[in-house]
Amino acid sequence: MPEILNHQQLTAIANEFGTPVYVYHAERIAQQYSKLQSAFKDCNARFFFACKSLTNVNVLRYMNSLGASLDCVSINEVKLGLMAGFKASDILYTPNCVDFDEILAAKELGVHINIDNISILEQFGNKFGNTYPICIRLNPHIMAGGNFKISTGHVDSKFGISIHQMRHIERVVKTTNLNVEGVHMHTGSEIKDINVFVLGLEVMLETVNHFPNLKYIDLGSGFKVPYQPGDPETEVDLLGQKVEQIFKQFEKDSGKKLEVWFEPGKYLVSQAGYFVVKANVIKQTPATVFAGVNSGFNHLIRPMMYESYHHIENISNPGGAERIYTVVGNICETDTFAWDRKLNEVREGDYLVFYNAGAYGFEMSSNFNSRLKPAEVLVKDGKSKLIRRRDEFEDLLRNQVI
Ligand SMILES: *Cc1c(COP(=O)(O)O)cnc(C)c1O
């Protein structure tokens, strides 16, 4: 049974900390982590939490306590990771289109560096040769993912170095004497079809002969979780078996033993997160009934940005008659969380909860419309703790020079 926070617990948190509020459930995160561990128990696997999905330092510390490593896409995420207690050797830095200075800063901090551009590979090789190992992000040219905006492995993608540029990579590696310890791919988010990973792994394995010092193959992430009731979750158990078979065969053929790395974001934290808001107004129009809540796409942008579905429940009136609502926010722009959603009758003042709000929820929030960012609460061992104060008016002015 999945660990859940029930209506009473969420209502109590909303009463205590106010709304809108993001709530994260530690035990649910642990549950997803242990599912991955058991799926890949027969592989030499490591899991790097993709912290761009949720970077609150308290969550990072909790991930560290579970034994996870950390995948970072910016130098600031690296710094947050170190602050949260991760060892540099447990952090992988996977930037894209950053200034070379940022890569130098990551090197100073001693983390694993994943390079995704030949020009950077050259600069790094010229400066450091074989003195600092690196990983290379390849683009295997696999179209995958739930939405074009979150697909990163296709031919038009800015990510990675094309697998067809292997000759060029090899030239740079040879002439600058680079020490390549890993190859990496990440083809997108919300991948249902595990064959995408299998295919990608096969492409990666074909590159192994180019890099004699290889220690790991990083298959990135894109593990899908259910958003709608009945939605599938990526079958990690099946994937674990396939990956194990492929690596076993590879070991037999090549005599080499490699680690396999993954970078789950959404898979670890999405379902552990709840976003609780309050219905400000009910508005009847000739066409629909709007439930207008005290939040907007400035707090949860996924529905407007990716057309994603978040399940919503009215936790204040669970016995109310079911009616059809369009749930909208208070931003002055089209700001729809859900069209034609069946909810127990919503009254002004009721709390609504959005499920699957742990990943890319708070993290993508902004102060658009000069509204304040919500609070974050972590529930662990049955106790609720504030882990980020709600913005105050002063926060809007903090960096303004008047
Ligand atoms: C975003 C990202 C991830 C995490 O993707 P999820 O779909 O949240 O699991 C992993 N690796 C890299 C390089 C990413 O950019």
Side-chain angles (χ1 to χ4, degrees):
M1 275 298 281
E3 292 271 354
I4 54 156
L5 295 179
N6 63 33
H7 289 186
Q8 284 75 17
Q9 288 167 296
L10 291 168
T11 302
I13 289 167
N15 285 338
E16 181 175 353
F17 300 98
T19 60
V21 60
Y22 275 97
V23 185
Y24 312 119
H25 191 189
E27 282 77 17
R28 187 75 182 86
I29 296 174
Q31 204 169 30
Q32 289 299 102
Y33 187 74
S34 79
K35 266 158 74 177
L36 283 181
Q37 278 187 310
S38 100
F40 295 94
K41 63 184 183 309
D42 297 320
C43 306
N44 207 349
R46 287 183 70 181
F47 305 102
F48 291 69
F49 171 51
C51 71
K52 74 170 190 280
S53 58
L54 180 56
T55 52
N56 189 296
V57 171
N58 300 274
V59 173
L60 301 186
R61 280 163 72 168
Y62 183 67
M63 286 291 177
N64 189 26
S65 78
L66 294 177
S69 300
L70 203 67
D71 183 56
C72 300
V73 294
S74 74
I75 194 71
N76 296 326
E77 285 187 357
V78 170
K79 290 179 187 167
L80 288 172
L82 291 169
M83 187 189 271
F86 286 91
K87 288 185 295 197
S89 58
D90 289 340
I91 294 178
L92 173 63
Y93 170 59
T94 302
N96 173 261
C97 292
V98 299
D99 194 282
F100 191 61
D101 285 346
E102 198 176 301
I103 291 179
L104 294 179
K107 184 205 163 258
E108 282 308 304
L109 295 173
V111 299
H112 297 279
I113 297 179
N114 195 358
I115 294 180
D116 93 330
N117 182 337
I118 288 194
S119 121
I120 300 285
L121 207 57
E122 261 171 6
Q123 292 179 66
F124 199 91
N126 284 334
K127 216 167 162 86
F128 303 112
N130 66 358
T131 63
Y132 196 94
I134 52 139
C135 175
I136 298 181
R137 178 171 189 170
L138 295 167
N139 183 341
H141 299 302
I142 297 170
M143 184 65 191
N147 178 301
F148 188 73
K149 287 183 192 159
I150 51 177
S151 294
T152 53
H154 54 82
V155 70
D156 284 324
S157 169
K158 67 168 183 162
F159 294 98
I161 305 175
S162 168
I163 198 80
H164 303 308
Q165 287 169 287
M166 210 52 205
R167 253 322 269 142
H168 197 174
I169 295 174
E170 208 178 19
R171 281 209 165 87
V172 173
V173 167
K174 266 221 176 87
T175 52
T176 64
N177 199 21
L178 270 168
N179 176 6
V180 180
E181 65 169 4
V183 287
H184 168 276
M185 69 165 216
H186 172 69
T187 55
S189 221
E190 306 225 343
I191 301 168
K192 270 182 265 197
D193 179 5
I194 60 166
N195 287 316
V196 168
F197 294 98
V198 173
L199 207 67
L201 175 54
E202 280 163 359
V203 173
M204 294 291 116
L205 282 172
E206 281 171 26
T207 70
V208 165
N209 288 334
H210 299 281
F211 310 116
N213 301 329
L214 212 65
K215 295 201 176 76
Y216 56 88
I217 293 181
D218 184 333
L219 297 180
S221 174
F223 295 146
K224 185 182 160 37
V225 295
Y227 278 85
Q228 307 212 28
D231 248 7
E233 181 166 303
T234 305
E235 292 176 276
V236 291
D237 282 331
L238 195 58
L239 179 60
Q241 289 165 21
K242 293 204 175 191
V243 167
E244 191 217 343
Q245 276 168 14
I246 295 171
F247 270 90
K248 280 249 160 75
Q249 188 61 44
F250 170 77
E251 274 171 30
K252 232 161 93 192
D253 296 345
S254 69
K256 286 183 194 165
K257 236 181 152 64
L258 296 176
E259 292 178 5
V260 59
W261 291 10
F262 292 99
E263 303 165 346
K266 189 174 281 184
Y267 189 84
L268 290 178
V269 295
S270 178
Q271 296 161 102
Y274 303 76
F275 185 46
V276 187
V277 302
K278 182 169 68 80
N280 278 341
V281 293
I282 303 301
K283 183 182 217 177
Q284 194 106 35
T285 72
T288 187
V289 183
F290 287 105
V293 304
N294 65 347
S295 177
F297 74 70
N298 55 325
H299 294 161
L300 179 65
I301 203 173
R302 300 189 72 260
M304 289 304 293
M305 180 119 158
Y306 307 121
E307 283 153 41
S308 63
Y309 177 102
H310 285 264
H311 196 60
I312 304 174
E313 281 177 12
N314 180 357
I315 58 176
S316 300
N317 191 21
E322 286 188 325
R323 301 187 64 191
I324 305 293
Y325 293 91
T326 298
V327 181
V328 295
N330 55 15
I331 290 300
C332 287
E333 198 173 308
T334 302
D335 179 19
T336 308
F337 288 118
W339 292 102
D340 297 340
R341 201 58 80 76
K342 206 185 261 181
L343 298 172
N344 296 112
E345 181 174 4
V346 182
R347 303 155 307 181
E348 295 178 353
D350 281 355
Y351 292 141
L352 306 186
V353 58
F354 291 76
Y355 290 90
N356 271 83
Y360 310 105
F362 182 89
E363 213 47 43
M364 294 178 88
S365 66
S366 77
N367 291 110
F368 188 43
N369 280 203
S370 293
R371 295 212 169 269
L372 308 176
K373 288 199 198 178
E376 292 179 290
V377 169
L378 180 65
V379 180
K380 187 165 165 278
D381 306 321
K383 289 194 200 74
S384 310
K385 265 212 192 123
L386 187 68
I387 56 170
R388 182 190 300 268
R389 273 192 302 272
R390 181 179 310 289
D391 268 1
E392 292 174 352
F393 179 72
E394 287 66 37
D395 292 311
L396 299 178
L397 289 166
R398 190 150 23 114
N399 292 322
Q400 297 195 37
V401 181
I402 300 170

